Amino acid sequence: MKDYPDRMTAEQAGKFGEDVLNIVSQIPRGRVTTYGAIAAWAGWPSHSRMVGRILRYSPEAEALPCHRVVNKEGRTAPGWSRQRMLLEEEGVLFRSNGHVDMNRFLWEPE
């Protein structure tokens, strides 16, 4: 059986979820960040997919600017066509390939 040294306990998962929601709440209008960056800032860099699940399934996430989270290439979430519109309303520009211009709009906390 494969060893998973980065497996979370239930307590760690709860703390991770709180940290993810806190980080997302800080993303400024007109900026984006990535699932991977959020996971790293929360202390679990290999858990970017878990960030996505937290944002999708946590009731608390509905009040947060989750539309400001994209993948590392700047792609929006599949199946969420409104995400691009919300970002464009905030002034976020997209490249011709449909990805956010990460050089201009990537946010990292200080």
Side-chain angles (χ1 to χ4, degrees):
M1 177 181 265
K2 186 173 180 181
D3 183 28
Y4 293 98
D6 61 346
R7 247 196 177 144
M8 292 183 187
T9 65
E11 182 178 307
Q12 289 169 321
K15 171 87 167 82
F16 181 76
E18 291 171 11
D19 291 345
V20 165
L21 297 175
N22 181 43
I23 292 165
V24 171
S25 73
Q26 297 176 53
I27 306 170
R29 182 177 175 81
R31 302 297 294 273
V32 299
T33 197
T34 67
Y35 299 99
I38 292 170
W41 295 325
W44 294 85
S46 64
H47 285 67
S48 58
R49 287 182 185 222
M50 191 169 174
V51 171
R53 285 192 294 274
I54 290 166
L55 297 181
R56 180 174 176 134
Y57 296 112
S58 291
E60 298 92 347
E62 289 182 25
L64 298 176
C66 297
H67 64 283
R68 298 178 186 152
V69 182
V70 296
N71 81 358
K72 66 184 176 183
E73 284 93 30
R75 287 194 314 248
T76 56
W80 188 17
S81 58
R82 193 160 181 253
Q83 184 179 14
R84 180 175 176 145
M85 181 191 69
L86 291 169
L87 290 171
E88 288 176 331
E89 287 175 359
E90 294 183 359
V92 174
L93 300 177
F94 286 75
R95 297 177 179 258
S96 60
N97 64 3
H99 299 183
V100 171
D101 183 344
M102 298 299 277
N103 291 327
R104 290 183 62 189
F105 297 99
L106 180 64
W107 170 78
E108 295 181 340
E110 296 175 13

